[in-house]
Each structure stands twice: as C-alpha cells, then as structure tokens.
Amino acid sequence: MAKKDEGSRVRDALRIGGELPGPGAAPVGPGKKAKALEQLGSAGERLSTLQEALYAEGVGGGRRSVLLVLQGMDTSGKGGTVSHVLGLVNPMGVRYAAFKKPTAAEQRHHYLWRIRKQLPAPGQIGVFDRSHYEDVLVPRVNGLLTGAERRRRYAELNAFEAELAEAGTTVLKVFLHISPEEQVKRLKARLVTPEKRWKYNPGDLEARSHWSAYQEAYADIFEKTAPWYAVPADHKWYRNWAVAELLIETLADLKPRFPAPDYDVDAELAKLKGVGVPS
C-alpha cells in the first residue's frame, strides 16, 4: 500500500466529502489535550517560519497570499481560533476581518463589495471570521433566497474564488463543527462569567432555533463550493491544532521563498568590518 502523503495528511482526513466527523472526534492527529498542546507549540514554529517567508516574498514583489475562511455556528470558536493559531505568527503578516450583519451602506453595494475590501495583500495571511458565505447561508435559512437565486450566488462565489486563485490567493475554507450540546455550555458560560458577557448575543438563541436548517444550508454550501474542511470544534485544543496544521500544509505546498538580495552581500559585510560605535 502506498504511504499517505504526509504533506496533505490533515487535509486528506478533514476534507469534506460526505458525512462530517463528529464534533467531539479526533479523526487525525492527537486524541488527548496534553499531546495537542505540545504539538501546537512545535506547529507554531513551523507556521511562523512559513509565514515569514511568505511575507518576505510579498515584500520582494511576489503576489501570493493565503485566505483562511472560518465558518461555523455561534460559539464554534472562530475568534478563539484566530487568537490561538494566528497568534503564533507575526501580526504584520496577518489581515483579519470579521463580517457581521451588513450595514446600510454595505447593503447599497453588491454583497462581495465589502469582502473585496478586506482581501489579503501579497505576502499576507488573510483571515475571515465569517465570510462571503454568510450571504447565502443566512438569507437561505430566513427564506429570502429562491433556489434559482442560491444557484446564481454559488456560481458567483465559485467565480470569485477562481479569480482570487488566478491573482495568487490560495483560499482555505474551514467549517468549525460544534455540537448543539457544547454550544449550550458555551452560551451559559458567557452569561455566568461577567468577563464574557460582552460576547453574548440574545440573537444567538434565534439562530439556534433554526439549527437543522443551518446544517442543511451548510451541507449544500459544502457540495456546491468545494473544497471545504470540517474541524471538530467541541474540544478547543483539537480545533486549534487542526486549523494550525491545515494552514501549515497549505503554506508548505506554496513553498514560499525569501527573496534574493539586490545588493552584494560580501561587499556589505566588508563595509561593516570598519564600522565603529557611533559617537
């Protein structure tokens, strides 16, 4: 039997192609918290090195970037993932955007207008906390899109991402898969912990009441706009490890390179030999 390509091990295991892994499962990688935290530490070093090379490549005139799209039900950990995973790299190379309900000004434009304004520059890792997929997901659940309108938006989104790929942006789409039972625990924790109450939104309960409709809508999105990756999110330690590894594999495939200097290194070193301490 051929050995699985280690460069795509996590992506192969988490790529959505049928039934999703259980929200509390660990389909690949560490099955225990201590091991996951240990591996996340070493993953941080690899991720930081790859990100620095990508950023330097962009500074040197390269056009490539990565866009991490995080989708999931409320409390699935989109913000926590950003903090624990992207917090491992230099913030200069990260562009973060959180998309909430469109403002009146945004509604006067095509729904992709506000998305385009937040795309990563060359050399950056962009992170979308929710994304352009909200403009299919929420209207569908609320009964505001016909089947024909959904199909048109799927075509627009696929064309948009093809455009990004052509421009040098690799899109990594991740669904943080949380169970309704774990969501209740996290909502309660926000209410009973004064420091977390700012995170609580009474509207989250309204969205929860349509849980099945959201799952059906997500399933349709996964099918019509593949590829997507499902990360079990009931355990925060596993969620963080898995997203970090997905990013590492994606960046490693790009093989970002530090740009060659446009000056004579030996000549510059020679100049420094005679440099003294400034008076």
Side-chain angles (χ1 to χ4, degrees):
M1 179 182 294
K3 184 178 179 181
K4 182 182 285 291
D5 179 7
E6 287 299 309
S8 62
R9 179 175 67 102
V10 178
R11 284 174 296 175
D12 289 344
L14 299 181
R15 190 189 308 269
I16 298 176
E19 186 175 351
L20 302 184
V28 61
K32 299 293 183 181
K33 181 176 181 179
K35 191 66 173 177
L37 294 178
E38 177 186 336
Q39 292 187 15
L40 185 61
S42 61
E45 297 177 7
R46 290 180 288 148
L47 185 58
S48 180
T49 298
L50 287 164
Q51 184 249 5
E52 184 178 7
L54 181 68
Y55 183 70
E57 182 182 285
V59 171
R63 67 188 188 102
R64 298 190 299 176
S65 62
V66 171
L67 175 60
L68 171 64
V69 171
L70 296 174
Q71 286 286 157
M73 298 294 287
D74 298 313
T75 77
S76 59
K78 296 177 288 294
T81 300
V82 173
S83 175
H84 288 90
V85 177
L86 278 302
L88 298 171
V89 302
N90 189 330
M92 289 180 60
V94 177
R95 182 180 178 89
Y96 168 79
F99 295 98
K100 302 184 184 298
K101 181 179 178 179
T103 65
E106 290 171 340
Q107 288 178 333
R108 290 195 290 269
H109 298 269
H110 187 277
Y111 66 90
L112 288 175
W113 177 78
R114 64 175 184 161
I115 304 297
R116 291 182 182 278
K117 292 173 63 177
Q118 300 294 343
L119 291 172
Q124 288 185 324
I125 297 176
V127 188
F128 282 179
D129 180 339
R130 301 188 189 277
S131 70
H132 37 299
Y133 285 95
E134 293 291 299
D135 292 289
V136 173
L137 184 71
V138 177
R140 172 183 173 143
V141 171
N142 291 337
L144 301 177
L145 288 179
T146 65
E149 288 170 333
R150 287 202 307 271
R151 289 190 290 275
R152 185 179 70 247
R153 289 203 175 183
Y154 287 143
E156 288 176 339
L157 294 178
N158 283 326
F160 171 61
E161 290 177 6
E163 175 190 328
L164 294 183
E166 179 65 23
T169 299
T170 298
V171 182
L172 174 63
K173 298 182 289 190
V174 177
F175 175 63
L176 302 180
H177 187 31
I178 190 174
S179 68
E181 295 81 10
E182 180 63 21
Q183 188 194 54
V184 166
K185 292 179 184 178
R186 294 183 186 179
L187 288 173
K188 287 181 178 178
R190 290 180 178 182
L191 286 174
V192 301
T193 308
E195 295 80 8
K196 292 185 177 182
R197 287 176 185 160
W198 67 273
K199 293 183 177 182
Y200 186 82
N201 181 351
D204 292 347
L205 292 181
E206 170 62 22
R208 179 182 168 82
S209 69
H210 301 290
W211 188 278
S212 295
Y214 272 104
Q215 304 312 304
E216 182 180 335
Y218 268 123
D220 199 37
I221 286 172
F222 301 151
E223 179 184 353
K224 302 297 196 306
T225 63
W228 279 83
Y229 300 90
V231 169
D234 273 10
H235 299 300
K236 297 176 182 179
W237 49 267
Y238 187 81
R239 176 201 71 202
N240 296 337
W241 174 87
V243 175
E245 291 295 329
L246 287 170
L247 261 178
I248 287 170
E249 289 186 358
T250 300
L251 284 164
D253 270 1
L254 295 178
K255 298 181 175 63
R257 296 184 178 181
F258 291 96
D262 57 358
Y263 52 83
D264 186 323
V265 175
D266 291 335
E268 295 303 310
L269 285 172
K271 293 177 186 177
L272 288 173
K273 286 183 179 179
V275 173
V277 177
S279 56

